[in-house]
Amino acid sequence: DALSKLVRLEQDLGGELAKLEAANLAEVAKEPARRDRHAERAIHDRVREVRDELRQVRNRLSVEFPKYVELQKPQAVSLAQVRSLLNGDEALIVIDIAGEDEGADYVWAISRERSNWQRMDTEPGQIARLIAELRNGLDLQARGRKPIEPNNSYELFRLMLAPVEDVLADNKHLLFVLNGAVSSLPPQILVTALPSGNTELRDAAWLARKYSISILPTVSSLKLLREQGRQMKALKPFRGYGDPVFDPVRESNIRMPPRGFGSLFRGGRADLALLRENLPRLPGTAKELQTVARKLAVPDSEIILRGAASEAAVKQDDLSDYSIVYFATHGLVAGEVEQVAKGTAEPALALTIPSEATDIDDGLLTVSEIVQLRLNADWVVLSACNTAAAGKPGANPLSGLARAFFYAGARSLLVSHWVVDDESTAELMGRTFTYAAEHTDSHQAEALQHAMLSLIDDPDHPHWSDPIYWAPFVIVGESFH
């Protein structure tokens, strides 16, 4: 509660400061005869007061909640520290793709024995254009969709990873920190060898064939995850929330979520009417949860659906009992980097929208509420989130949610990058968790890798060799199972 109040106060003060600065600009832009000097002085005085209050709040956060501050404002980690945190078969890769007018693109690769960094041989915007082309082939709802071209995936590999391939060669597990446009593409769909003219999707040299893969929000999160230590294992295997009710009166399966979710907020608060109007139902998520639960021999009582899948239910559950906590719903994060940074819209998970908002339930489980959960989860699954659906690839939309769940006690997130297919997703999740349960000393990323390859090579479903079916999920964070 104390952290929540400080975070909310920081957000409110930030919002007030933005409004004051806008008001000041409006005043000074007026003709001299029309300017109100008294109003200007009042604005200047209040700006000083708000900035002073913000400094005090941020100082309190640093002193009283240092772990939260570390997650929100990561510190630099030395090369020696990174090497000491890596296992012998791991490499850390940092890819930084410049935005418009930001300069060059860079890649770093670090293992226990080697390190290398290179400026990429790219033109401004080249990586973003290639990724946008690939993303067009990863949209199930696109009319006339064509599968992605392995040649385009290889070109991205050639530009981004081939320059540091010497560091990757003897490793099995890659940990990626992805900044800029590349954060909207799961690394497993890069192709490591130039395809021949008639290469089938099943036969392409996907990065997933050679490596298990994890994503880290920041380099410093590796330090946080590796040093936080193991907790006692949760006693219960699975808890799932899905198919929430957004609009019980006009519920529709065909409305599409907007590309930008910032429009669903008013002054930093959720607008319930706009949420009801714009969020489509996700009926396939109920079947997905039930299929995964059956594979794990979990009773239906552990699946919370429809009206019961509310923000209040999540907050009132004792989630520290569960090894897997599964949210099959919309993630409201994509494309809203600017608004989130200004404190006007927090990343959130959409749950059943109440008839009236209360302090405990307004239908959105936001980052500042997620950090108050008490988790002991090896896996938090965010399915159907479509978290990378920004209109144009930009800064990493996952990092806010990931950092919040890490703070709450999760050791990894399993997150979808695009709208998923119900049947293949249920199989992918079931096979991932089954492998993890049968190989308790394995890496979580290894379990996902095994499941992805099993879908690519599934003889009963040859169409699953298309990455749209096997590649939507990434592990954010990492730990041994």
Side-chain angles (χ1 to χ4, degrees):
D1 290 343
L3 173 61
S4 176
K5 290 174 182 175
L6 279 176
V7 170
R8 176 58 66 188
L9 181 56
E10 182 187 30
Q11 292 169 340
D12 290 345
L13 289 168
E16 183 182 356
L17 184 61
K19 290 177 182 177
L20 287 167
E21 290 172 342
N24 185 55
L25 265 177
E27 282 296 326
V28 300
K30 292 178 181 177
E31 295 176 6
R34 297 181 57 220
R35 288 174 63 174
D36 185 337
R37 304 296 180 180
H38 178 73
E40 287 182 36
R41 282 195 298 272
I43 291 171
H44 290 163
D45 290 344
R46 183 56 186 155
V47 165
R48 283 195 297 270
E49 291 173 0
V50 171
R51 285 177 175 165
D52 186 56
E53 290 177 49
L54 264 174
R55 278 193 294 271
Q56 292 179 40
V57 169
R58 287 166 178 165
N59 286 339
R60 284 191 61 192
L61 282 168
S62 297
V63 172
E64 297 174 27
F65 302 99
K67 183 180 173 186
Y68 175 81
V69 173
E70 164 62 21
L71 284 165
Q72 291 298 99
K73 299 174 182 177
Q75 302 301 305
V77 184
S78 71
L79 179 63
Q81 282 179 305
V82 171
R83 281 182 164 157
S84 70
L85 292 166
L86 292 172
N87 295 315
D89 62 351
E90 294 179 326
L92 174 71
I93 301 163
V94 181
I95 298 178
D96 188 62
I97 303 302
E100 294 180 10
D101 303 320
E102 282 186 348
D105 303 324
Y106 291 90
V107 58
W108 291 259
I110 303 161
S111 69
R112 289 283 285 269
E113 306 298 331
R114 298 179 180 180
S115 62
N116 190 2
W117 69 274
Q118 297 288 335
R119 175 175 173 164
M120 297 181 198
D121 184 18
T122 53
E123 299 174 359
Q126 183 178 359
I127 296 294
R129 288 193 297 271
L130 284 168
I131 288 172
E133 288 178 21
L134 285 177
R135 292 276 309 181
N136 287 337
L138 297 170
D139 184 353
L140 275 171
Q141 297 156 337
R143 291 183 178 180
R145 181 190 75 88
K146 295 181 180 179
I148 69 173
E149 287 287 342
N151 278 315
N152 289 345
S153 289
Y154 173 73
E155 180 65 6
L156 278 171
F157 174 84
R158 185 188 69 80
L159 291 169
M160 296 193 302
L161 293 186
V164 294
E165 197 170 9
D166 60 314
V167 180
L168 317 183
D170 298 324
N171 295 288
K172 296 179 181 178
H173 180 213
L174 304 182
L175 301 101
F176 284 88
V177 177
L178 303 173
N179 298 318
V182 71
S183 68
S184 67
L185 197 73
Q188 57 260 28
I189 68 171
L190 298 179
V191 170
T192 63
L194 182 64
S196 63
N198 58 354
T199 298
E200 298 286 338
L201 289 174
R202 183 188 308 277
D203 301 322
W206 305 111
L207 195 68
R209 292 280 189 192
K210 297 179 69 173
Y211 304 102
S212 61
I213 293 165
S214 301
I215 308 296
L216 298 174
T218 62
V219 175
S220 66
S221 61
L222 174 65
K223 184 173 184 287
L224 180 77
L225 289 165
R226 293 272 163 104
E227 291 183 351
Q228 71 180 2
R230 291 286 295 174
Q231 295 173 270
M232 186 178 295
K233 189 167 180 62
L235 298 176
K236 299 178 182 178
F238 181 91
R239 183 66 145 182
Y241 304 87
D243 194 13
V245 177
F246 302 124
D247 186 349
V249 178
R250 298 181 298 109
E251 195 164 65
S252 168
N253 297 341
I254 61 173
R255 281 175 291 156
M256 297 299 295
R259 282 292 182 181
F261 288 108
S263 61
L264 306 182
F265 292 80
R266 291 292 179 267
R269 308 284 180 169
D271 186 314
L272 299 191
L274 285 174
L275 286 170
R276 292 189 191 99
E277 182 181 346
N278 285 285
L279 292 178
R281 184 186 172 188
L282 296 166
T285 59
K287 179 182 176 182
E288 176 185 334
L289 288 168
Q290 290 160 350
T291 301
V292 173
R294 279 196 299 273
K295 286 183 176 290
L296 297 174
V298 170
D300 285 346
S301 59
E302 297 289 14
I303 301 173
I304 313 299
L305 300 173
R306 305 300 288 143
S310 68
E311 181 187 1
V314 173
K315 290 177 176 178
Q316 292 165 358
D317 256 349
D318 185 0
L319 296 179
S320 64
D321 282 347
Y322 295 96
S323 177
I324 301 167
V325 180
Y326 203 122
F327 296 96
T329 185
H330 295 294
L332 308 190
V333 297
E336 294 307 310
V337 177
E338 295 87 356
Q339 285 178 290
V340 171
K342 293 177 181 176
T344 58
E346 283 190 83
L349 298 178
L351 294 159
T352 290
I353 299 173
S355 55
E356 292 185 9
T358 65
D359 288 342
I360 193 173
D361 192 347
D362 66 356
L364 295 183
L365 186 66
T366 63
V367 159
S368 58
E369 293 168 321
I370 291 167
V371 298
Q372 296 177 75
L373 300 177
R374 293 294 174 262
L375 302 175
N376 183 22
D378 288 322
W379 312 78
V380 170
V381 182
L382 306 182
S383 178
C385 281
N386 194 19
T387 49
K392 61 178 182 179
N396 190 345
L398 298 178
S399 60
L401 280 175
R403 289 197 298 256
F405 276 110
F406 291 162
Y407 184 90
R411 288 177 280 280
S412 70
L413 273 70
L414 198 51
V415 189
S416 58
H417 261 274
W418 51 78
V419 176
V420 296
D421 171 72
D422 294 337
E423 184 182 8
S424 61
T425 296
E427 278 299 312
L428 182 71
M429 295 294 98
R431 295 180 192 189
T432 297
F433 297 132
T434 299
Y435 184 94
E438 293 173 352
H439 301 78
T440 55
D441 60 343
S442 68
H443 220 284
Q444 288 179 313
E446 184 183 333
L448 178 60
Q449 179 191 26
H450 171 85
M452 289 191 296
L453 296 181
S454 73
L455 259 65
I456 296 173
D457 299 327
D458 191 317
D460 297 325
H461 301 86
H463 63 289
W464 284 355
S465 62
D466 187 329
I468 203 168
Y469 299 104
W470 62 264
F473 284 87
V474 293
I475 289 180
V476 183
E478 65 81 38
S479 67
F480 283 91
H481 176 62

